[in-house]
Amino acid sequence: MSDPIDLLRQQVSDLHQELVRYNLVVWTAGNVSARVPGEDLMVIKPSGVPYDELSPGSMILCDLDGTVVEGDHAPSSDTAAHAYVYRHLPEVGGVVHTHSTYACAWAARGEAVPCVLTAMADEFGAEIPVGPFALIGDDSIGRGIVETLRGHRSPAVLMKSHGVFTIGKDARAAVKAAVMCEDVARTVHVSRQLGEPLPIAQADIDSLNFRYQNVYGQQPAR
């Protein structure tokens, strides 16, 4: 059987290509990480390495203080932020950061994306909130992510004047949230060019979110 960390390296490497596929990143910006189940470890992208040069072997294994345990490169400049999220939100198994265009436009305005689409109610269950401005390099961004998303339905936060951070039960779920965040940020922006988007009643948001999270898709056989 393959080593669980090797499997996670492969998954995290592959998921970075999804960021490229969905036009969520440019050059070397953005990153995906995954918690190693049952361990105080995470796998994350190396810093400044082009996406077409990423491979399972180039992924970095770090502890949850952001210290490199195994790897030939320096880890992502956002490692401290990812590590902080894992330390303080034990239910989170994956973290993603992107600079996707439309979501970043909302972040530049310091404005939350309102929940005015059923797709938003499904995935986010609320507006996509804005987190505080924070500089890169220490765990300040991580603190802002946790403060904003703890107790909030949304798995995405727009860090003010920066970009998108998403969380999920695993790295794939966090990537999905990043894809959906950009999609709805674009659609709501276009809607506002035509006029003010119509709100959805909170009871309907609650109902849509419950259905999507608990009923939608293929259910395990009883």
Side-chain angles (χ1 to χ4, degrees):
M1 181 178 294
S2 299
D3 184 292
I5 293 177
D6 288 342
L7 291 174
L8 209 55
R9 287 179 188 271
Q10 180 72 61
Q11 181 191 47
V12 172
S13 177
D14 291 346
L15 285 170
H16 278 93
Q17 301 312 315
E18 295 298 292
L19 303 188
V20 176
R21 176 186 177 194
Y22 286 99
N23 298 312
L24 303 185
V25 294
V26 296
W27 204 241
T28 62
N31 38 72
V32 178
S33 73
R35 185 196 296 268
V36 178
E39 304 286 346
D40 290 333
L41 298 169
M42 66 177 183
V43 172
I44 194 167
K45 173 182 175 284
S47 177
V49 176
Y51 278 79
D52 58 3
E53 296 178 16
L54 295 178
S55 68
S58 65
M59 297 298 109
I60 311 301
L61 183 67
C62 296
D63 65 21
L64 297 191
D65 290 316
T67 302
V68 174
V69 174
E70 186 175 287
D72 297 326
H73 299 84
S76 167
S77 58
D78 291 305
T79 296
H82 289 239
Y84 187 94
V85 172
Y86 290 128
R87 291 199 308 272
H88 291 84
L89 297 176
E91 71 276 14
V92 170
V95 178
V96 172
H97 173 45
T98 75
H99 294 162
S100 58
T101 303
Y102 284 87
C104 278
W106 290 84
R109 287 175 51 81
E111 184 176 357
V113 182
C115 187
V116 293
L117 297 165
T118 60
M120 284 193 70
D122 288 346
E123 177 70 18
F124 302 97
E127 68 177 14
I128 299 174
V130 175
F133 176 78
L135 295 176
I136 302 167
D138 59 17
D139 62 12
S140 298
I141 292 173
R143 291 199 301 271
I145 296 167
V146 171
E147 289 167 5
T148 306
L149 293 185
R150 177 176 276 155
H152 200 291
R153 279 180 179 165
S154 175
V157 55
L158 309 176
M159 294 301 287
K160 187 177 180 182
S161 303
H162 186 174
V164 180
F165 281 84
T166 61
I167 59 175
K169 64 180 181 180
D170 53 31
R172 182 175 178 80
V175 169
K176 178 192 175 187
V179 172
M180 295 292 288
C181 179
E182 177 63 4
D183 182 63
V184 298
R186 179 176 60 248
T187 305
V188 178
H189 167 77
V190 171
S191 174
R192 293 212 309 185
Q193 309 317 297
L194 303 173
E196 190 64 26
L198 301 176
I200 299 175
Q202 185 62 53
D204 292 331
I205 292 174
D206 294 343
S207 177
L208 287 161
N209 184 254
F210 179 85
R211 172 189 170 277
Y212 187 75
Q213 300 298 332
N214 298 283
V215 179
Y216 174 82
Q218 301 304 308
Q219 302 301 313
R222 294 184 179 276

